[in-house]
Amino acid sequence: MKKATLRRAALSLTLAAAMVSFTLWCGQMEATETFSPQLRAGYTLVIDPGHGGADGGAVSVSGVAESELNLAIALKCDQIAGLFGQRTVLLRDTEASLADPEAETVREQKRSDMENRVAVVNATPDALLLSIHQNQYTDSKYSGAQVFYQPDGESQGWAEQTQTLLRECLDSDNRRQAKEMPSDLYLMSHITCPAILAECGFLSNPEEDHLLQDDGYQTRLAAVLMGACLGYWYGSGQ
């Protein structure tokens, strides 16, 4: 049973690597240039699985907490980035938050968690931040991933490329556009590096809720996110 699980994991990562190459092909980039060591040097990708701990985020129509899905996708992003030698910092790798032990109330825990995330991001030299979240709305008909970017003059192109590849590789009917990030997001308004926030889908949409819980879809989604990131920052984008 253990060997079968390891084989499935290895196959999943192999397919993810192929998917990254496919996303680069979709964006008409040169893979050999993208992954050359001199271009890869310098940046550290900080992967932020949104929410965690007492803050589970939104709850899907089937009862799954957003924090669980964010973490599952983030872990896959981290694994895929590692396949290409990309340095990463994963802000959490369990369901626990980053809150200090002395934070007692839920409000205190959320505040402490955000402050600690900001501290890690800002202490990381040459950081790029990818924050992973899920969307929700009162009307279940809405669906589709959407990417938001820091209004810093650097992040918009990364977000637009990510949005394009999400559409071309995963959801051809998605007509959403990359947008500037709302100014009231604590994490994004306190960091000093290029950043995007990917709302990977709508937990209020039953079909998308089902997709986002599927391990294979999570792997494809993570591969597209990593393909867009590596392709933009280490390819022809910058």
Side-chain angles (χ1 to χ4, degrees):
M1 182 64 124
K2 188 175 181 180
K3 289 183 178 179
T5 301
L6 290 173
R7 282 197 298 270
R8 285 196 297 271
L11 177 59
S12 178
L13 286 175
T14 300
L15 292 174
M19 188 68 178
V20 170
S21 298
F22 177 62
T23 62
L24 293 170
W25 176 82
C26 285
Q28 297 181 341
M29 290 170 243
E30 182 59 48
T32 55
E33 178 185 359
T34 299
F35 300 121
S36 63
Q38 67 270 24
L39 288 175
R40 191 170 61 233
Y43 291 114
T44 296
L45 178 63
V46 181
I47 304 172
D48 169 41
H51 305 286
D55 178 16
V59 178
S60 79
V61 290
S62 64
V64 177
E66 176 188 353
S67 58
E68 295 179 27
L69 298 176
N70 296 343
L71 179 59
I73 295 165
L75 289 171
K76 289 176 170 62
C77 286
D78 186 54
Q79 292 175 325
I80 294 166
L83 288 175
F84 294 99
Q86 171 60 44
R87 291 196 305 273
T88 62
V89 171
L90 190 61
L91 290 188
R92 67 180 177 93
D93 58 8
T94 70
E95 267 302 295
S97 74
L98 276 68
D100 294 328
E102 57 268 26
E104 297 180 353
T105 68
V106 173
R107 182 176 181 178
E108 289 173 345
Q109 290 171 9
K110 288 182 178 181
R111 179 76 180 191
S112 176
D113 174 72
M114 284 291 104
E115 290 174 346
N116 288 335
R117 291 183 198 230
V118 167
V120 173
V121 175
N122 287 341
T124 302
D126 299 310
L128 304 171
L129 175 64
L130 168 63
S131 189
I132 297 172
H133 285 260
Q134 311 300 323
N135 218 331
Q136 189 179 51
Y137 197 65
T138 53
D139 192 331
S140 63
K141 72 180 181 181
Y142 292 103
S143 64
Q146 186 165 24
V147 184
F148 296 83
Y149 57 87
Q150 282 284 74
D152 57 8
E154 295 185 278
S155 305
Q156 184 174 354
W158 177 18
E160 290 174 347
Q161 180 151 302
T162 304
Q163 188 73 55
T164 295
L165 292 178
L166 284 167
R167 179 175 62 253
E168 292 181 350
C169 299
L170 289 180
D171 182 7
S172 60
D173 293 327
N174 186 350
R175 293 295 177 263
R176 297 186 181 278
Q177 300 295 317
K179 288 187 176 181
E180 186 175 307
M181 213 168 291
S183 59
D184 60 349
L185 296 179
Y186 184 90
L187 175 63
M188 297 302 176
S189 63
H190 287 77
I191 60 171
T192 57
C193 68
I196 65 172
L197 184 152
E199 297 274 10
C200 299
F202 279 77
L203 298 183
S204 46
N205 180 284
E207 182 179 348
E208 208 152 57
D209 174 31
H210 176 74
L211 267 180
L212 289 164
Q213 293 182 54
D214 180 76
D215 185 76
Y217 183 77
Q218 291 174 359
T219 298
R220 295 194 298 275
L221 178 57
V224 171
L225 293 174
M226 289 301 91
C229 177
L230 296 172
Y232 184 75
W233 288 105
Y234 310 127
S236 59
Q238 289 286 314

